[in-house]
Amino acid sequence: NYGLDFISLRFANVYGTRDSVGSGRVIPAFVNCLLNNKRPYITGEGKQTRDFIFVKDVAKAVVLALDKDTENKYFNIGSEEITSINELFNLIKKILKSDIKPEYINERKGEVQEIYLKAGLAWKELAWKAEISLEEGLKQYIDSLKRNLFI
């Protein structure tokens, strides 16, 4: 309406260093429970899927978008990898070498079953692509928690 130049970035489920345990987000909750020898809960059957993206990849996307003059103004920023909550839990469990099992509770009414972002336009026009795998990002996150005692 006002002739402003802009770019809008839509982020998938961002996680990473300094992500606080009290945020209600799944990764900090799982890690905190396992580090404290507690059983985390998973709603429903844990088959709901998400697209997790590490904060360093998001930061790179933001920096690249700052000076871009593009015809498209809206970009998805995600890993383009679908991970179920069960798969996420098992990966965190493997990294922490834990044998704790989750507690399954009733599914949340209205919970979205799949969240996935196609980020091809960001690759094409911003020359951006997620580079940090979920496993590597989780390792960095867990290491930062242990180093900085944010738990």
Side-chain angles (χ1 to χ4, degrees):
N1 291 342
Y2 300 101
L4 297 174
D5 191 22
F6 71 94
I7 287 183
S8 177
L9 304 178
R10 294 179 287 232
F11 303 136
N13 292 3
V14 182
Y15 72 96
T17 51
R18 298 187 186 257
D19 204 348
S20 66
V21 169
S23 67
R25 297 162 49 79
V26 68
I27 290 174
F30 282 173
V31 171
N32 184 52
C33 282
L34 293 181
L35 285 174
N36 289 293
N37 294 314
K38 294 181 181 176
R39 288 181 70 190
Y41 68 87
I42 293 178
T43 58
E45 295 179 5
K47 293 180 181 176
Q48 59 274 46
T49 61
R50 300 294 182 260
D51 180 347
F52 296 100
I53 181 89
F54 193 61
V55 69
K56 289 179 183 178
D57 280 330
V58 171
K60 285 179 187 176
V62 170
V63 170
L64 287 170
L66 287 173
D67 292 324
K68 287 291 181 182
D69 183 19
T70 63
E71 189 173 314
N72 291 298
K73 298 298 179 185
Y74 300 95
F75 298 92
N76 291 333
I77 304 300
S79 69
E80 292 196 335
E81 290 187 19
I82 297 172
T83 304
S84 76
I85 299 303
N86 285 329
E87 291 169 330
L88 174 68
F89 175 75
N90 287 326
L91 184 55
I92 293 170
K93 184 176 162 176
K94 177 183 135 191
I95 292 167
L96 290 173
K97 297 179 175 112
S98 173
D99 59 359
I100 295 174
K101 293 184 169 116
E103 177 183 348
Y104 288 89
I105 62 173
N106 291 337
E107 182 177 330
R108 288 188 192 122
K109 192 172 188 172
E111 182 174 6
V112 176
Q113 293 302 302
E114 182 175 279
I115 298 173
Y116 166 75
L117 298 181
K118 290 187 138 277
L121 194 58
W123 171 247
K124 180 181 172 188
E125 294 197 26
L126 302 178
W128 175 88
K129 177 167 113 169
E131 297 175 353
I132 300 170
S133 71
L134 180 57
E135 184 169 3
E136 179 55 34
L138 288 171
K139 286 177 182 176
Q140 288 185 37
Y141 171 61
I142 291 166
D143 287 346
S144 75
L145 282 176
K146 289 177 177 178
R147 267 194 324 275
N148 296 307
L149 300 175
F150 285 118
I151 55 176

